[in-house]
C-alpha cells in the first residue's frame, strides 16, 4: 500500500550520500529547574541515513531529537541542519523548521481541520503553494500512506494508526530535508503499529533522511543504518544494528538490551 | 410634577436602558479589542510583554470597578488637566475592567488546549501569530464562548456604577426619577426587572452553550 519514490541513485552519487544533514557537536542542555539533561552529545546524520535513537526512559532521547528543530533550546555546543546553525537564542528557527519534519507520539493533528486541510495548511501558508496544488500534493501523499479515501474526515473520526499516517503525510507535505519521529508507535494499539512502521519503512527506502526514537526492535534491526544509544544524557554507543544487538560492547548497553530483549 | 404616571416612568427607564446597553456595548467592544491584545501579550514569548500585560490584568482585576471609574473621571483630569466627560471616563474604566477579565478568560481557553497543538504548529514552521490564527484560536473559541457571554452579564450590571460619576444610564435615571416621585419600591423594582430582562436570557444562553459544548467535546 505504501510506496514512495525509490531511492534514485547510482554508485557515482556516493559523495552525495555522505552529505551531513544534521551535525550535533557537544550539545549540552539544562532544563529550567537546573537538571542537566544533555551532557555533551555529538552525532552526525548524513543524507539518506536512517538513524534510530534508543535508550532507557528519561535518558534524554526526546530532548535530544527536539533540539534538531528547536522545540527544545540548548545552551552549549552546536547544532547545524544542512549547514544552517540552530542558534542558542533560536533566532530564525521558524525558517529552519520548515526543513525538518516531525512526527509525535500523540499525533498532534489539528482536530478542527479535515485530514486534507491538516496537510495543506503548511504548504499553502508557508511554501506559497496554491490551494489546488497543495491539495493535489496532499492527495498523493495520502495515497502513499494508504488513506486517500479519508481525506475529508476529521482526525477524531480516524483510528490511531490512521491519524499517525496522516501526521506523517502532514510533515512530508513540507518537503523536509529530514524527518524526526519521537516514539511514533508508542501510543498505538498493537494491531496498528505495523501499518505505521510499514509507512516509515517505505519512506526509508525512498531515501528520506530519518531520525527515529523507537523501541521497535524489529524496525531498528531491519531499517536502521545506525543505532545511537543514549543513557543519562550521554551518548554511549553509535553503531550498526548488527553490532548493537549482536555484539554490544558497552556494559550500559548490555544491561539495556537484557531488559528490552527479555 | 405629579404627571409621573406609571407609563411615563416606564418610558423614561426604557430610554435610560438604551444608555446602559450602549455603555455595555462600548465596554464589550473596547474591552474585547484591548483584551485580545493583552491576551496575545500574556502568551507571547517576550518576558517584557508578559510582564506588562500581567501587571495590567492584576491591576484591573485587583481593584474595584468603582475605584477605576473614580480614577478615570477624577484622576485623569488632574493628571492631564482636562475634564473628561462621564461617557469618556466610563468608557476608559469599563474598557480596562472588561479587557482584563476577557484577556484572562481567553487565556484560560487557550491554555486548556494540549501543548501538542502548539508544538505541531511550530514543527511545521508557523510563527506565533500564524499559530494563533490558524490553529489555536479556532479551537479555543469553542470553550471561550460560554464564559465570555457569562461575563457580558457582569459588565452590563457593572455599568450601573457609572451612575456615580454622573453618567445617566438605567440606575442613575431610576435614582433621579425617585428623587421626584419618591416611589422607590416601584421605580427601583422596575429598573431591577429591566436589568433582569436583559441579563437573564444571556445567562441562560451561556449556560446552554456551556452544556452543549461540553457534550460535543
Ligand atoms: N520540562 C522539563 N523540565 C525538567 N525536566 C525535564 C523536562 N522535560 C523532561 N525532563 C527530564 O529530562 C529527562 C529526559 O527527558 P526526555 O523526555 O528527553 O527522556 P526520554 O529519553 O525521551 O524518555 P522516555 O523514553 O520516557 O520518553 C527526564 O528525566 C525528564 O524527567
Ligand atoms: Mg521521550
Amino acid at each position: 500500500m505504501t510506496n514512495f519514490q525509490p531511492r534514485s541513485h547510482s554508485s557515482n552519487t556516493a559523495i552525495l550520500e555522505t552529505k551531513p544533514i544534521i551535525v550535533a557537536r557537544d550539545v549540552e542542555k539544562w532544563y529550567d529547574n537546573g537538571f542537566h539533561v544533555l551532557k555533551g552529545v555529538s552525532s552526525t546524520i548524513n543524507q539518506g541515513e536512517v538513524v534510530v535513537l534508543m535508550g532507557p526512559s528519561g535518558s534524554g532521547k526526546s530532548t535530544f531529537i527536539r533540539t534538531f528543530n528547536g522545540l527544545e533550546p540548548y545552551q552549549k555546543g552546536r547544532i547545524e541542519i544542512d549547514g544552517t546553525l540552530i542558534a542558542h537564542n533560536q533566532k530564525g528557527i521558524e525558517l529552519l523548521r520548515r526543513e525538518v519534519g516531525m512526527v509525535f507520539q500523540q499525533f498532534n493533528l489539528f482536530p478542527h481541520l479535515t485530514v486534507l486541510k491538516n496537510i495543506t495548511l503548511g504548504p499553502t501558508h508557508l511554501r506559497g503553494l496554491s490551494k489546488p496544488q497543495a491539495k493535489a500534493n496532499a492527495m498523493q501523499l495520502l495515497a502513499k500512506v494508504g488513506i486517500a479515501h479519508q481525506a475529508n474526515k476529521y482526525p477524531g473520526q480516524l483510528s490511531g494508526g490512521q491519524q499517525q499516517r496522516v501526521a506523517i503525510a502532514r510533515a512530508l507535505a513540507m518537503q523536509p530535508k529530514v524527518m524526526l519521529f519521537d516514539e511514533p508507535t508508542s501510543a498505538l494499539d498493537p494491531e496498528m503499529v505495523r501499518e505505521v512502521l510499514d509507512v516509515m519503512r517505505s519512506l526509508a527506502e525512498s531515501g528520506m533522511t530519518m531520525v527515529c526514537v523507537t523501541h521497535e526492535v524489529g524496525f531498528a534491526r531491519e531499517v536502521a543504518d545506525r543505532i545511537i544509544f543514549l543513557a543519562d544524557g550521554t551518548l554511549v554507543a553509535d553503531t550498526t544494528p548488527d553490532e548493537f544487538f549482536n555484539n554490544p560492547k558497552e556494559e550500559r548497553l548490555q544491561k539495556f538490551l537484557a531488559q528490552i530483549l527479555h | 410634577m405629579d404627571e409621573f404616571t406609571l407609563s411615563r416612568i416606564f418610558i423614561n427607564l426604557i430610554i435610560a436602558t438604551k444608555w446602559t446597553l450602549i455603555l455595555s456595548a462600548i465596554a464589550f467592544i473596547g474591552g474585547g479589542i484591548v483584551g485580545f491584545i493583552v491576551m496575545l501579550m500574556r502568551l507571547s514569548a517576550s518576558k517584557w510583554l508578559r510582564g506588562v500585560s500581567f501587571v495590567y490584568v492584576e491591576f484591573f482585576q485587583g481593584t474595584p470597578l468603582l475605584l477605576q471609574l473614580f480614577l478615570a473621571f477624577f484622576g485623569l483630569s488632574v493628571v492631564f488637566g482636562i475634564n473628561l466627560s462621564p461617557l469618556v471616563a466610563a468608557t476608559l474604566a469599563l474598557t480596562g475592567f472588561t479587557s482584563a477579565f476577557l484577556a484572562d478568560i481567553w487565556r484560560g481557553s487557550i491554555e486548556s488546549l494540549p501543548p501538542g497543538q502548539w508544538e505541531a504548529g511550530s514543527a511545521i514552521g508557523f510563527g506565533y501569530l500564524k499559530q494563533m490564527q490558524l490553529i489555536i484560536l479556532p479551537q479555543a473559541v469553542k470553550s471561550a464562548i460560554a464564559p465570555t457571554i457569562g461575563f457580558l452579564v457582569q459588565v452590563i450590571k457593572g455599568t450601573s456604577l457609572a451612575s456615580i460619576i454622573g453618567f445617566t444610564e438605567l440606575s442613575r435615571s431610576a435614582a433621579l426619577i425617585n428623587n421626584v416621585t419618591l416611589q422607590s419600591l416601584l421605580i427601583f423594582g422596575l429598573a431591577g426587572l429591566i436589568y433582569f430582562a436583559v441579563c437573564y436570557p444571556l445567562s441562560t444562553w451561556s449556560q446552554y452553550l456551556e452544556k452543549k459544548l461540553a457534550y460535543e467535546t
Side-chain angles (χ1 to χ4, degrees):
Chain A
M1 73 179 179
T2 56
N3 40 28
F4 296 89
Q5 287 301 312
R7 215 186 279 238
S8 59
H9 64 81
S10 53
S11 54
N12 61 4
T13 58
I15 294 163
L16 259 183
E17 289 287 305
T18 56
K19 178 185 173 202
I21 294 290
I22 299 177
V23 178
R25 283 279 160 271
D26 306 317
V27 175
E28 290 196 64
K29 176 184 172 70
W30 289 260
Y31 276 115
D32 288 341
N33 62 5
F35 181 64
H36 197 182
V37 56
L38 298 176
K39 302 169 181 166
V41 184
S42 301
S43 191
T44 297
I45 289 143
N46 292 316
Q47 186 160 46
E49 253 188 326
V50 177
V51 173
V52 160
L53 203 54
M54 288 191 144
S57 180
S59 56
K61 304 180 298 290
S62 296
T63 308
F64 188 46
I65 203 176
R66 286 157 62 91
T67 59
F68 297 166
N69 66 350
L71 279 187
E72 294 291 352
Y74 61 105
Q75 283 83 37
K76 275 195 179 166
R78 189 176 171 86
I79 298 175
E80 283 172 18
I81 304 294
D82 198 19
T84 308
L85 177 74
I86 299 185
H88 294 168
N89 61 9
Q90 296 199 307
K91 242 182 108 203
I93 191 71
E94 283 151 25
L95 278 177
L96 224 132
R97 281 178 178 149
R98 300 177 189 184
E99 316 300 331
V100 182
M102 184 153 207
V103 175
F104 302 87
Q105 184 175 345
Q106 300 296 339
F107 329 137
N108 296 346
L109 293 177
F110 306 130
H112 62 298
L113 299 176
T114 63
V115 163
L116 190 63
K117 287 259 171 64
N118 261 275
I119 300 176
T120 57
L121 196 69
T124 49
H125 285 90
L126 300 173
R127 292 282 196 213
L129 259 62
S130 70
K131 283 204 171 127
Q133 261 179 320
K135 187 178 164 184
N137 289 355
M139 288 310 297
Q140 262 183 0
L141 284 168
L142 280 174
K144 281 175 183 167
V145 300
I147 31 181
H149 52 295
Q150 315 274 25
N152 293 314
K153 288 198 178 162
Y154 285 86
Q157 300 171 283
L158 303 187
S159 73
Q162 291 172 328
Q163 289 191 50
Q164 193 61 300
R165 286 184 279 151
V166 173
I168 293 173
R170 178 178 68 180
L172 288 173
M174 290 297 287
Q175 301 192 302
K177 290 173 178 159
V178 52
M179 286 281 286
L180 310 176
F181 297 82
D182 191 355
E183 302 204 31
T185 58
S186 295
L188 295 176
D189 291 337
E191 70 269 23
M192 291 168 187
V193 170
R194 175 77 182 276
E195 64 193 49
V196 171
L197 290 181
D198 280 347
V199 168
M200 290 170 64
R201 187 184 302 255
S202 138
L203 189 60
E205 281 162 8
S206 77
M208 175 60 77
T209 311
M210 292 163 62
V211 185
C212 317
V213 178
T214 180
H215 301 300
E216 294 294 334
V217 172
F219 179 85
R221 269 186 205 277
E222 293 158 30
V223 184
D225 296 308
R226 268 163 57 208
I227 302 181
I228 293 176
F229 180 69
L230 278 186
D232 296 325
T234 308
L235 189 147
V236 174
D238 182 345
T239 180
T240 63
D242 185 44
E243 281 285 308
F244 187 90
F245 289 110
N246 303 329
N247 190 19
K249 301 206 170 49
E250 300 77 7
E251 197 185 329
R252 189 72 191 77
L253 174 55
Q254 289 164 356
K255 235 173 79 191
F256 173 76
L257 289 174
Q259 274 166 3
I260 65 162
L261 301 175
H262 314 297
Chain B
M1 276 297 156
D2 55 346
E3 313 167 50
F4 262 101
T5 60
L6 183 61
S7 65
R8 278 211 52 198
I9 290 172
F10 194 67
I11 288 166
N12 272 289
L13 289 179
I14 291 293
I15 291 169
T17 302
K18 186 183 80 182
W19 283 105
T20 289
L21 294 179
I22 290 174
L23 201 52
S24 302
I26 291 175
F28 223 67
I29 293 166
I33 294 168
V34 176
F36 187 76
I37 296 167
V38 173
M39 181 271 291
L40 289 179
M41 290 166 65
R42 280 293 270 137
L43 293 169
S44 88
S46 150
K47 262 190 192 150
W48 196 80
L49 289 179
R50 283 205 308 268
V52 170
S53 53
F54 174 78
V55 171
Y56 179 91
V57 168
E58 291 301 308
F59 170 77
F60 280 104
Q61 289 197 357
T63 56
L65 175 57
L66 185 61
L67 184 118
Q68 294 160 17
L69 284 159
F70 283 156
L71 271 178
F73 189 58
F74 302 113
L76 287 183
S77 51
V78 173
V79 173
F80 296 110
I82 42 159
N83 278 323
L84 297 181
S85 72
L87 176 62
V88 173
T91 296
L92 288 177
L94 281 163
T95 296
F97 173 82
T98 308
S99 63
F101 280 90
L102 287 180
D104 242 21
I105 290 172
W106 295 343
R107 180 172 66 99
S109 297
I110 285 171
E111 284 181 342
S112 69
L113 296 176
Q117 291 296 306
W118 287 101
E119 291 184 351
S122 298
I124 292 172
F126 287 115
Y128 174 65
L129 291 177
K130 275 281 171 202
Q131 289 183 65
M132 273 287 183
Q133 179 203 336
L134 301 170
I135 299 161
I136 303 301
L137 291 177
Q139 295 184 64
V141 160
K142 233 177 137 180
S143 62
I145 288 178
T148 300
I149 295 170
F151 181 67
L152 174 57
V153 171
Q154 303 301 318
V155 171
I156 293 170
K157 291 190 287 187
T159 58
S160 64
L161 289 173
S163 60
I164 302 230
I165 58 170
F167 186 83
T168 310
E169 38 62 73
L170 180 53
S171 293
R172 183 164 144 89
S173 178
L176 291 175
I177 297 170
N178 179 58
N179 285 348
V180 180
T181 64
L182 300 176
Q183 293 184 290
S184 310
L185 187 63
L186 173 71
I187 291 161
F188 291 121
L190 272 177
L193 275 177
I194 295 174
Y195 275 114
F196 187 77
V198 173
C199 292
Y200 183 71
L202 286 172
S203 300
T204 315
W205 188 33
S206 147
Q207 280 160 18
Y208 163 77
L209 286 173
E210 197 161 358
K211 281 213 192 84
K212 187 175 162 224
L213 295 172
Y215 278 124
E216 279 176 10
T217 46

